[in-house]
Amino acid sequence: MENTNRQSINNSPLNKPPKKLPNWLLSWESFLFGIAVIIFIVNSIASPYFLNPWSLSDATFNFTEKAIIALPLALVIIVREIDISVASIIALSSTAMGFAAQSGSGVFVICLVGMAVGTLCGMFNGLLVTRLNIPSIVVTIGTMSLFRGITFILLGDQALRNYPESFSYFGQGYVFWVISFEFTCFLVLAALFYVLLQKTNFGRKTYAIGNNPTAAYYSGIDVKKHKLILFTLVGFFCGVASIMLTSRLGSTRPTIAFGWELSIITMVVLGGVSILGGSGTILGVVISVFVMGLVTVGLGLLNVPGIVMSIIIGCMLISVIALPRALKLIKHSLKV
């Protein structure tokens, strides 16, 4: 009888341990998704025009080119490196395309020139980092000024505009109804980078280098070659972004993409990619891209000046970097 009573007490719902929430629900990606939903609702209330399909489609043009660069940059940051010359690479690639257009080149050649210049710039960064062992932040601060300076020397105050009419499709065309060519490219690339990072040996090497470069080297991974590939990949996609941006604007100016570095790095770090390397997901970056896009659109609906937007983006970047450390300090103080 006693055993029966004990069993009934143990099986009582009051004695059962509380169910834990699923891990995915506690993830940074889920938190970001919730923030995105809240911002979407607020924007819908703030403006009756926000939910118009064409308004939403036009809003994607504000972040798509940046988002395309954020995808490979996430991999660079995961391996404990950084590239802050991305906007300057766009400017130099666009300038090269502008001169190619002036010489009468066709759309294929113009695009090839843009991607080639971007790739060479990324490779140059990678060689300086991997062969000369110069910290990437030092290298890319230097090349940020170098590439932008070359652009100003080549263009001065002029703008290059004589692009072929068909070139405008890359930045202004639509694949289906309100779905732009740019946005379609971003979604396809996001899927490809997700597979690359999460499902392939290349992705596993990326995480291994980020967690412990020395251990990765002694396990047989060519760390320098891997980093060189990643920097070159960033340069290539800067070239791709320059094609879309130049096509959308219809001209090349020396100030094109000026100040984009902050927004792109914020997209990556806000997406949960640790600035210290070793962790992060493409899904998080994709969600953070939409969060940043929605914030930008919302501030635009409220007629907030661009300089204030930059301040808000800067605060977001600092907050995301400082938040994990602040939580650790709080946990430590509570334990003590």
Side-chain angles (χ1 to χ4, degrees):
M1 189 73 178
E2 271 182 48
N3 291 334
T4 306
N5 289 335
R6 281 177 187 172
Q7 276 185 345
S8 62
I9 291 170
N10 290 334
N11 292 331
S12 171
L14 296 174
N15 290 333
K16 288 183 179 180
K19 290 184 178 180
K20 292 183 178 180
L21 291 172
N23 289 333
W24 65 267
L25 198 59
L26 299 174
S27 67
W28 181 255
E29 290 84 356
S30 297
F31 172 74
L32 271 183
F33 183 76
I35 295 295
V37 170
I38 292 170
I39 296 172
F40 187 89
I41 294 170
V42 170
N43 287 348
S44 304
I45 297 169
S47 173
Y49 304 105
F50 175 74
L51 292 177
N52 182 284
W54 288 103
S55 296
L56 290 173
S57 178
D58 290 343
T60 62
F61 289 110
N62 294 325
F63 62 82
T64 306
E65 296 108 352
K66 298 174 186 176
I68 286 172
I69 301 170
L71 296 172
L73 186 62
L75 274 62
V76 169
I77 294 178
I78 286 174
V79 298
R80 303 188 182 187
E81 303 292 351
I82 197 165
D83 188 345
I84 57 175
S85 68
V86 287
S88 298
I89 295 176
I90 292 175
L92 189 56
S93 299
S94 181
T95 301
M97 287 192 296
F99 283 112
Q102 304 307 304
S103 68
S105 300
V107 172
F108 177 76
V109 174
I110 292 171
C111 293
L112 194 63
V113 167
M115 290 186 289
V117 170
T119 302
L120 289 172
C121 289
M123 187 180 295
F124 181 67
N125 283 338
L127 287 171
L128 290 176
V129 172
T130 58
R131 304 307 173 195
L132 300 181
N133 295 320
I134 306 173
S136 57
I137 191 166
V138 176
V139 168
T140 55
I141 285 175
T143 54
M144 176 179 66
S145 301
L146 174 64
F147 299 150
R148 183 71 69 175
I150 294 172
T151 301
F152 272 99
I153 290 171
L154 293 174
L155 291 179
D157 294 330
Q158 68 174 320
L160 304 176
R161 294 190 178 85
N162 298 325
Y163 288 95
E165 188 176 340
S166 57
F167 182 70
S168 63
Y169 178 78
F170 298 111
Q172 303 175 33
Y174 292 86
V175 174
F176 173 74
W177 190 38
V178 297
I179 310 298
S180 68
F181 174 78
E182 281 195 6
F183 190 62
T184 304
C185 285
F186 165 65
L187 294 178
V188 172
L189 289 171
L192 291 175
F193 270 94
Y194 173 81
V195 173
L196 178 67
L197 185 61
Q198 306 295 146
K199 306 294 182 181
T200 68
N201 193 40
F202 187 88
R204 287 188 284 274
K205 287 180 180 179
T206 302
Y207 282 120
I209 294 169
N211 282 306
N212 193 325
T214 305
Y217 173 76
Y218 283 110
S219 66
I221 298 173
D222 192 335
V223 175
K224 290 187 176 182
K225 180 182 176 182
H226 196 89
K227 289 184 178 182
L228 177 60
I229 291 171
L230 291 180
F231 275 103
T232 304
L233 201 62
V234 170
F236 172 77
F237 281 103
C238 284
V240 172
S242 76
I243 293 170
M244 295 179 178
L245 179 59
T246 306
S247 171
R248 180 163 63 87
L249 299 177
S251 64
T252 295
R253 296 179 183 275
T255 55
I256 192 170
F258 191 79
W260 275 24
E261 300 90 353
L262 176 63
S263 297
I264 296 169
I265 292 171
T266 303
M267 284 177 177
V268 177
V269 178
L270 181 63
V273 177
S274 173
I275 202 72
L276 300 176
S279 65
T281 64
I282 293 298
L283 178 60
V285 174
V286 171
I287 297 173
S288 76
V289 162
F290 286 104
V291 169
M292 292 278 292
L294 289 169
V295 167
T296 304
V297 172
L299 294 174
L301 292 173
L302 298 174
N303 296 318
V304 175
I307 187 64
V308 177
M309 290 188 189
S310 297
I311 293 171
I312 292 172
I313 291 171
C315 290
M316 288 173 67
L317 178 59
I318 294 170
S319 300
V320 171
I321 294 173
L323 184 60
R325 299 193 176 202
L327 290 175
K328 283 184 181 178
L329 288 173
I330 292 169
K331 285 182 181 179
H332 181 72
S333 63
L334 289 174
K335 286 179 181 178
V336 173

